[in-house]
Amino acid sequence: MSRQNITVLGSTGSIGVSTLDVIRSHPDRYRAFALCAHSQVDKLFEQCLEFRPAFAVLRDAPLAADLAARCRAAGLPTEIRHGLDALIELSAASEVDAVMAAIVGAAGLEPTLAAARAGKKVMLANKEVLVMAGELFMHAVRQHGARLLPVDSEHNAIFQSLPVDFDRGLAACGVSRILLTASGGPFRNTPLAELQGVTPEQACAHPNWVMGRKISVDSATMMNKGLEVIEARWIFDAPPAMIQVVVHPQSVVHSAVQYVDGSVLAQLGNPDMRTPIAYAMAWPERIDAGVAPLDLFAIGRLDFQAPDPVRFRCLQLAYDVLNEGGTAPAILNAANEIAVAAFLEQRLSFLGIAQLNEAVLDALPAVPESSLGDVLAMDADARRIAQQMITERRFA
Ligand code: NAD
Ligand code: MG
């Protein structure tokens, strides 16, 4: 069996590091072909020393020059590149078998789209890609024969709980509902009056998962679940009304599919992203992911609740933009990226995130999603308006 060459977009992040952990355990199957990160030179250099990739990419030229000097001094074979063009090229290169899309946010859209257009196996963690340009991206996947494997734990669980030929239509497969589970995040039971004053550190302290800061804040507002509803709509071609969010604080049932005969199929496991990553990497086979076996006796009980629409306003905003369609989800995504960054910099309150998202949606009318250029222009407009509203201190 020949080894698969993998480009890891976002190799220094939470998903990237877990991906490299799976690659490390299976050197006979996988090779890190290109490792790509934003600006973490030290961490990327360490990864180059261990994995000896053919390419490594940083965003800006000066940092890339620094990395190149270090790699040369260490006698590594790695060629160093920088910028978006390099990400696009190394996602589509002929040597590449699979791309792990694990950049956070809109920055991952173009390279991930390039991988789809090159017909690669696309392992998708970067959900913002589907939120911004779901129709365009799924069209590229189908048109170029790419294989889309969801890495987001919920979508990976749904994928595992569906028949392999689900793309003939969920209704034709007897599916009546997708049950998308959510932990409820760190503020599930925090008194509403206290939410205004919560800090970034409190928001990033997720009860079950260790993740990057942006997705941690999204989990606290449940914007993450909203983005995942949109993600599920596109990956599984599911009508929004078929997708039901179920709060499940233990994060053991990673999601489920309900069928017309009364069956519910679910995937369970410890909350460790190496399980969905390894499943996407090895599909349709299974490999050891290095994850501890699930101990149901230690867990004891599984709880389920309906989400609270007042506490989690962002979840409803996601259903609203899905129903509106066009570029409305891209506007929400852009506003939310700016809102979360401002919250993390303590320039916006926690409750300000949902308020800002809603205000930007009200200020900017959506248009039909047609080209990548349209989506990127809308993304830029929404960011500008969101920044302006923060500067004007419209929200406490
Ligand atoms: P993270 O912040 O830990 O890592 C992000 C990575 O992207 C880093 O390597 C960073 O260097 C890179 N990056 C950011 N901007 C870049 C740019 N402009 N150019 C090149 N590289 C850039 O984030 P994460 O938690 O690993 O999440 C990554 C993606 O996966 C997000 O879209 C998130 O929603 C999704 N996801 C994460 C988890 C999780 O458990 N962490 C679970 C499901 C889905
Ligand atoms: Mg998820």
Side-chain angles (χ1 to χ4, degrees):
M1 187 177 66
S2 67
R3 292 197 304 173
Q4 284 184 36
N5 270 333
I6 300 186
T7 288
V8 185
L9 299 171
S11 68
T12 54
S14 166
I15 293 289
V17 166
S18 294
T19 302
L20 290 178
D21 194 60
V22 177
I23 293 179
R24 179 185 294 118
S25 310
H26 300 277
D28 50 324
R29 283 177 169 259
Y30 309 109
R31 166 170 182 251
F33 175 77
L35 300 180
C36 314
H38 183 266
S39 49
Q40 302 87 331
V41 191
D42 293 340
K43 199 163 179 180
L44 188 55
F45 177 59
E46 269 173 43
Q47 294 181 341
C48 288
L49 278 177
E50 181 180 355
F51 292 95
R52 303 176 71 87
F55 295 91
V57 183
L58 283 167
R59 199 182 69 164
D60 297 324
L63 289 177
D66 178 10
L67 180 64
R70 290 204 228 174
C71 286
R72 249 193 327 274
L76 292 178
T78 309
E79 191 177 312
I80 311 301
R81 301 276 186 85
H82 72 272
L84 180 62
D85 290 347
L87 296 179
I88 292 173
E89 191 186 318
L90 294 170
S91 299
S94 58
E95 300 97 313
V96 173
D97 299 293
V99 174
M100 171 56 74
I103 286 177
V104 58
L109 173 59
E110 287 176 83
T112 309
L113 191 58
R117 287 179 173 158
K120 302 298 183 195
K121 171 167 135 179
V122 182
M123 306 183 281
L124 186 70
N126 188 183
K127 63 194 86 185
E128 293 91 345
V129 167
L130 283 173
V131 176
M132 289 180 74
E135 192 166 353
L136 207 76
F137 182 78
M138 293 310 293
H139 178 74
V141 166
R142 291 193 190 98
Q143 192 179 8
H144 299 280
R147 166 59 68 180
L148 179 60
L149 292 157
V151 170
D152 210 347
S153 57
E154 296 77 3
H155 305 75
N156 191 272
I158 295 161
F159 184 80
Q160 294 197 42
S161 306
L162 284 170
V164 275
D165 60 347
F166 69 83
D167 55 3
R168 68 195 164 90
L170 293 186
C173 295
V175 173
S176 55
R177 252 188 189 170
I178 285 177
L179 304 172
L180 189 69
T181 53
S183 68
F187 305 138
R188 186 172 52 91
N189 293 320
T190 306
L192 285 178
E194 289 173 25
L195 284 182
Q196 182 67 17
V198 297
T199 65
E201 277 52 50
Q202 289 172 302
C204 289
H206 197 280
N208 308 332
W209 300 94
V210 181
M211 308 180 286
R213 283 167 77 78
K214 194 262 178 181
I215 184 175
S216 296
V217 175
D218 284 347
S219 298
T221 58
M222 247 164 110
M223 186 70 261
N224 182 53
K225 210 48 55 182
L227 301 179
E228 291 184 355
V229 168
I230 302 172
E231 185 184 10
R233 181 261 172 272
W234 291 113
I235 297 179
F236 306 111
D237 194 16
M242 202 190 243
I243 306 167
Q244 180 169 64
V245 173
V246 179
V247 175
H248 164 50
Q250 291 90 357
S251 295
V252 165
V253 177
H254 296 308
S255 277
V257 177
Q258 189 157 47
Y259 289 87
V260 287
D261 62 2
S263 300
V264 174
L265 301 191
Q267 184 255 353
L268 283 70
N270 286 320
D272 186 322
M273 287 307 291
R274 290 175 301 173
T275 295
I277 289 168
Y279 186 81
M281 285 172 63
W283 182 90
E285 294 170 30
R286 286 186 189 263
I287 55 173
D288 185 353
V291 176
L294 184 65
D295 181 349
L296 282 175
F297 296 126
I299 289 157
R301 58 182 275 183
L302 299 173
D303 295 303
F304 302 96
Q305 306 159 358
D308 173 348
V310 175
R311 181 180 296 269
F312 299 118
R313 175 81 190 125
C314 287
L315 182 58
Q316 185 57 46
L317 292 180
Y319 279 99
D320 293 348
V321 295
L322 251 190
N323 290 325
E324 190 177 348
T327 54
I331 296 170
L332 175 59
N333 180 68
N336 184 60
E337 285 193 33
I338 297 297
V340 171
F343 169 68
L344 287 172
E345 291 161 8
Q346 295 184 295
R347 291 187 294 121
L348 185 68
S349 69
F350 181 75
L351 294 179
I353 297 173
Q355 291 162 2
L356 180 72
N357 288 347
E358 195 162 0
V360 176
L361 284 169
D362 287 343
L364 196 58
V367 298
E369 174 193 325
S370 45
S371 70
L372 180 62
D374 294 343
V375 171
L376 293 176
M378 199 50 111
D379 174 79
D381 283 352
R383 281 168 199 269
R384 188 176 40 74
I385 292 173
Q387 286 291 12
Q388 198 179 329
M389 288 178 173
I390 292 170
T391 310
E392 287 167 2
R393 298 190 161 277
R394 288 251 210 120
F395 307 102

